[in-house]
């Protein structure tokens, strides 16, 4: 892998990846009808960038060259022998000249054949300028084309920045900004958190996305503040920008792009990427991720000073959206038992997926409040499962009923974990068994039924109940329960035998199982 510390060079619309200076492609000058230029030697060079035009009539102009020139000469001091001409061409090629322009008449009636052969030999494009084309006209046409190319760049950058700003104002800002970035650059654009988790991505996915993830992790783990890196591997340009997480400038996420080598990054692409990186850094910052807008802050102040949830809830719902109810979401992170990344980037990603800024996340999991209509059905984000989250959703409730919705979401989460499904949504049906029993009586039943577990000893009542819940959800499967809890099947048998002894029940009795399952739905630790 060819890797560098900063993003590699690019170009404007009429340049290429080899030069930073404004340039015009040689093909544009060859196609200009007023110049009458023709290529008489050298490789096909329509895409070769020309950054400036120089005129020389000295035998060795190399001390005065900077590279990228279209070097014009009438051959006044051109060496008279083939070896001298070969030396002349070899020197200007080594100096980085883009092309050589030879003006015929009055010194030479035609381009010298020795010069044609030398340019072919050393791979230097050689252009013939007809007698009617002044050197100054070539310079004027070149600089006019460069100016027009630069104007096109600026217009393209302006349009892209406007689209990115609009995307950043959308509810799904992270996904929208990455989508615009991918559309404007043609690159696979991905946002990683500090653990290398792919939060959002857009654009054509490369064949080896792990290469970009590896580069992102190496960049994020470097010391010294915000960083960028670039590499080229397996025909793909890889670029990474570490995004600062807060005032300490430590990296909290990484924006990474993978672009096919056939379309290398241009100067416009880099400017657009820079704008996107700034926006994403803001969107994943703690202030934005926690949505500390004036309405939210005002609601928090009122709540802490004694207002009820019902009184402050209207300040937290979108104006004019008709969202006067709330869905409570509980979540647990379960990828290989790893801890939750509570970085702002992960928090911002979950906020975007759930469609709400009201998300609390800690090492135990997450809780969220989603504004909704009274009859709304939660839109469960499939990508949350890809990030390792299992979710439980309550039914929509008015603000005074949020404690009840909180219990519903917790029970739904437990069912989802036990069943191994990405999410469970609580459903309220007036014809269900639960609807026939008042919540107070159901809670009393659960407390009474599981009271003997208070003397359970190690591993504790909650561990026994989680084992029971998982076992019942998996229809009595010992192996399935052991796999879900990551314990040995004999441990499951021992726990359930201990629970059955304490509760004095027969777990093989379907009626007992039904009663215990009902009680579990109303159990509050």
């Amino acid at each position: 892998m060819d890797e560098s510390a900063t993003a590699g060079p690019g170009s404007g619309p009429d340049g290429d990846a080899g030069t930073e200076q404004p340039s015009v492609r040689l093909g544009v000058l060859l196609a200009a009808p007023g110049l009458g230029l023709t290529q008489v030697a050298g490789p096909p060079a329509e895409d070769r960038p020309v950054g400036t035009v120089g005129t020389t009539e000295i035998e060795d102009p190399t001390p005065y060259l900077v590279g990228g020139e279209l070097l014009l000469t009438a051959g006044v001091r051109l060496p008279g022998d083939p070896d001298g001409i070969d030396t002349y061409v070899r020197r200007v090629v080594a100096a980085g000249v883009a092309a050589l322009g030879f003006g015929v008449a009055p010194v030479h009636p035609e381009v010298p054949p020795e010069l044609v052969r030398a340019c072919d030999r050393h791979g230097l494009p050689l252009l013939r300028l007809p007698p009617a084309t002044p050197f100054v006209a070539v310079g004027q046409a070149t600089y006019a084309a460069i100016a027009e190319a630069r104007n096109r760049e600026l217009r393209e950058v302006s349009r892209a920045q406007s689209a990115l700003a609009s995307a950043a104002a959308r509810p799904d800002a992270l996904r929208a900004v990455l989508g615009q970035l991918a559309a404007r650059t043609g690159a696979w654009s991905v946002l990683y958190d500090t653990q290398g988790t792919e939060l959002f991505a857009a654009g054509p996915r490369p064949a080896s996305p792990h290469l970009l993830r590896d580069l992102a992790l190496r960049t994020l783990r470097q010391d010294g503040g915000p960083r960028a890196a670039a590499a080229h591997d397996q025909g793909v340009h890889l670029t990474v920008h570490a995004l600062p997480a807060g005032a300490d400038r430590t990296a909290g996420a990484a924006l990474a792009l993978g672009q096919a080598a056939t379309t290398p990054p241009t100067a416009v692409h880099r400017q657009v990427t820079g704008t996107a990186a700034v926006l994403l850094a803001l969107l994943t910052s703690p202030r934005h991720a926690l949505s500390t807008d004036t309405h939210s802050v005002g609601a928090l102040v009122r709540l802490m000073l004694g207002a009820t949830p019902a009184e402050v809830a209207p300040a937290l719902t979108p104006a004019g959206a008709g969202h006067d109810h709330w869905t409570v979401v509980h979540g647990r992170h379960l990828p290989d038992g790893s801890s939750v990344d509570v970085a702002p980037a992960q928090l911002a990603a979950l906020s975007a997926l759930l469609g709400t800024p009201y998300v609390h996340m800690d090492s135990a999991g997450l809780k969220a409040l989603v504004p909704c209509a009274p009859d709304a059905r939660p839109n469960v984000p499939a990508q949350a499962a890809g990030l390792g989250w299992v979710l439980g959703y309550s039914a929509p409730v008015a603000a005074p009923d949020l404690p009840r919705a909180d219990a519903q979401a917790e029970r739904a989460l437990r069912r989802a974990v036990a069943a191994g499904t990405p999410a469970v949504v609580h459903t309220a049906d007036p014809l269900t068994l639960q609807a026939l029993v008042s919540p107070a009586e159901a809670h009393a039943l659960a407390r009474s039924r599981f009271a003997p577990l208070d003397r359970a000893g190690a591993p504790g009542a909650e561990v026994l109940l989680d084992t029971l819940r998982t076992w019942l959800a998996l229809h009595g499967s010992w192996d399935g329960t052991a796999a879900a809890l990551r314990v040995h099947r004999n441990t499951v048998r021992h726990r359930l035998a201990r629970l059955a002894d304490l509760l004095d029940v027969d777990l093989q009795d379907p009626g007992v199982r039904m009663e215990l399952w009902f009680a579990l739905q109303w159990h509050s630790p």
Side-chain angles (χ1 to χ4, degrees):
M1 177 183 291
D2 177 22
E3 186 173 328
S4 59
T6 57
S11 72
D14 292 318
D16 74 355
T19 177
E20 286 287 351
Q21 66 184 16
S23 61
V24 61
R25 296 187 187 279
L26 190 59
V28 174
L29 301 179
L30 288 169
L35 298 180
L37 305 180
T38 55
Q39 183 174 350
V40 297
E46 289 82 359
D47 290 337
R48 182 165 296 196
V50 173
T52 187
V53 176
T55 301
T56 181
E57 297 299 345
I58 60 178
E59 293 182 6
D60 183 11
T62 54
Y64 309 100
L65 301 176
V66 295
E69 296 94 347
L70 170 56
L71 187 63
L72 304 180
T73 180
V76 175
R77 302 289 298 277
L78 188 70
D81 61 291
D83 289 342
I85 291 177
D86 187 84
T87 300
Y88 177 88
V89 172
R90 177 164 42 81
R91 284 174 175 172
V92 298
V93 168
V97 165
L100 182 65
F102 194 90
V104 297
V107 180
H108 293 270
E110 194 50 70
V111 181
E114 295 83 358
L115 182 60
V116 172
R117 287 191 288 271
C119 288
D120 279 332
R121 187 161 47 248
H122 293 287
L124 177 65
L126 175 61
L127 310 186
R128 178 186 183 276
L129 278 68
T133 301
F135 285 4
V136 68
V138 177
Q140 289 173 340
T142 300
Y143 298 132
I146 289 175
E148 175 56 29
R150 182 57 179 161
N151 287 335
R152 287 199 301 272
E153 284 185 0
L154 294 175
R155 290 193 295 269
E156 185 178 349
V157 169
S158 178
R159 288 192 295 268
Q161 289 176 338
S162 178
L164 288 168
S166 298
R170 290 177 43 173
D172 57 340
L174 293 175
R175 184 185 287 111
V177 168
L178 286 173
Q180 280 294 329
L181 179 59
R184 301 286 170 171
T185 63
W188 184 53
S189 305
V190 56
L191 184 66
Y192 292 108
D193 67 9
T194 54
Q195 305 302 314
T197 303
E198 180 184 312
L199 301 178
F200 294 103
R205 182 180 291 266
S208 302
H210 67 278
L211 297 175
L212 196 56
R213 178 181 181 273
D214 292 345
L215 181 60
L217 284 175
R218 289 198 300 274
T219 306
L220 285 168
R221 290 167 182 170
Q222 291 176 5
D223 296 327
R227 297 158 302 275
H232 184 87
D233 200 306
Q234 300 184 17
V236 179
H237 292 281
L238 311 176
T239 308
V240 171
H241 295 267
L243 307 180
D248 59 358
R249 308 296 289 170
T250 56
L255 169 63
L257 289 86
Q259 195 162 11
T262 54
T263 56
T266 67
V268 171
H269 291 164
R270 287 195 302 281
Q271 290 188 60
V272 172
T273 301
T275 300
V278 171
L279 291 172
L280 291 170
L282 292 172
L283 292 170
T284 56
S285 68
R287 176 172 293 274
H288 189 280
L290 296 175
S291 187
T292 54
D293 58 83
T294 54
H295 291 290
S296 300
V297 171
L300 176 61
V301 170
R302 293 171 58 196
L303 191 65
M304 293 184 70
L305 294 179
T308 66
E311 291 172 327
V312 302
L316 303 178
T317 56
H323 294 166
D324 57 353
H325 277 56
W326 298 84
T327 296
V328 178
V329 184
H330 284 203
R332 189 178 301 177
H333 198 246
L334 296 176
D336 303 324
S338 61
S339 61
V340 181
D341 178 10
V342 295
Q346 181 78 227
L347 186 58
L350 288 169
S351 295
L353 290 173
L354 297 174
T356 177
Y358 308 119
V359 179
H360 168 71
M361 185 170 63
D362 57 24
S363 59
L366 73 87
K367 292 185 179 181
L369 289 172
V370 183
C372 64
D375 56 350
R377 174 74 177 176
N379 183 20
V380 179
Q383 191 173 347
L387 296 178
W389 288 95
V390 179
L391 303 176
Y393 285 78
S394 76
V397 299
D401 294 326
L402 283 173
R404 177 167 59 88
D406 186 52
Q408 291 176 355
E410 179 60 25
R411 290 196 299 271
L413 173 62
R414 289 176 178 175
R415 292 200 298 273
V417 172
T421 59
V424 166
V425 178
H426 176 84
T427 56
D429 185 342
L431 298 180
T432 63
L433 177 63
Q434 292 194 20
L436 301 178
V437 181
S438 71
E441 292 176 339
H443 280 299
L445 170 65
R447 286 193 300 271
S448 173
R449 197 70 190 84
F450 298 130
L453 298 183
D454 292 341
R455 60 179 187 275
E462 288 309 313
V463 172
L464 295 178
L465 289 177
D466 278 343
T467 304
L468 174 64
R469 182 181 292 105
T470 304
W471 184 71
L472 291 174
L474 296 177
H475 310 291
S477 170
W478 303 102
D479 291 333
T481 303
L485 297 178
R486 296 187 177 90
V487 297
H488 194 275
R489 68 194 308 271
N490 288 341
T491 301
V492 175
R493 289 184 178 275
H494 175 76
R495 289 178 182 176
L496 291 179
R498 176 65 175 154
L499 183 141
D501 182 60
L502 289 168
L503 298 182
D504 192 21
V505 295
D506 178 7
L507 292 180
Q508 301 307 313
D509 186 332
V512 170
R513 292 191 188 188
M514 182 185 69
E515 179 188 346
L516 293 175
W517 181 256
F518 178 85
L520 282 170
Q521 309 312 301
W522 293 97
H523 172 67
S524 299

